[in-house]
Amino acid sequence: MSTARVDLVLAALAEPVRRRLLEHLAGAERAAGELVAAAHDEFGISQPATSQHLRVLREAGVVAVRADGPRRLYRVEPRTLSVVEDWLAAFLDPFAQPLDALETELARGRRELRRRDPSAGRVPEQSAS
């Protein structure tokens, strides 16, 4: 994985307006006009300023754009975001998933044991002295 690529994507996502634009695109493709209106409503920024933010996201490969007649439709590029996900994975607990799998296997074994011997795993009753 290219450190320069990760740096480019993280730099694009460092700006709150760009992160918010990305959030607007999370569910579906959106027209540039919708994004401009959202940025104006939420941040009070102009159409040219929003276009600059979209350009940065586009150049970083975080979003893609396509023409639909006179409209420009933007969408998230998940493959580019996976570069950041891969980079972040280095900081996650490497034992978390294997331990979860071990816990599942232990529970499966206990179930199998109870299935074969219903009295297995029960705590014996204590007699009152």
Side-chain angles (χ1 to χ4, degrees), residues 1 9 77-88:
M1 156 185 17
V9 173
E77 279 294 333
R79 286 182 309 208
T80 301
L81 294 178
S82 70
V83 169
V84 175
E85 182 179 27
D86 294 345
W87 179 77
L88 288 171

Side-chain angles (χ1 to χ4, degrees), residues 40-115:
H40 182 267
D41 291 347
E42 294 178 37
F43 296 97
I45 63 174
S46 66
Q47 182 275 326
T50 303
S51 292
Q52 285 291 90
H53 285 298
L54 290 169
R55 183 182 58 80
V56 170
L57 291 171
R58 218 175 37 250
E59 289 176 355
V62 174
V63 300
V65 65
R66 72 178 179 86
D68 180 33
R71 300 182 329 153
R72 298 291 173 256
L73 298 174
Y74 285 83
R75 71 177 187 289
V76 173
E77 279 294 333
R79 286 182 309 208
T80 301
L81 294 178
S82 70
V83 169
V84 175
E85 182 179 27
D86 294 345
W87 179 77
L88 288 171
F91 301 98
L92 300 176
D93 183 356
F95 297 106
Q97 187 174 4
L99 288 176
D100 288 346
L102 175 61
E103 184 178 352
T104 300
E105 288 304 315
L106 290 172
R108 187 175 290 140
R110 287 190 297 267
R111 264 194 318 273
E112 182 64 25
L113 183 61
R114 282 193 306 271
R115 190 178 63 77

Side-chain angles (χ1 to χ4, degrees), residues 6-58:
V6 172
D7 289 347
L8 181 65
V9 173
L10 289 175
L13 298 176
E15 163 61 47
V17 173
R18 291 193 285 266
R19 285 195 309 273
R20 188 67 182 124
L21 289 170
L22 192 64
E23 289 171 4
H24 281 287
L25 293 169
E29 188 175 60
R30 303 250 185 248
E34 291 178 66
L35 298 170
V36 166
H40 182 267
D41 291 347
E42 294 178 37
F43 296 97
I45 63 174
S46 66
Q47 182 275 326
T50 303
S51 292
Q52 285 291 90
H53 285 298
L54 290 169
R55 183 182 58 80
V56 170
L57 291 171
R58 218 175 37 250

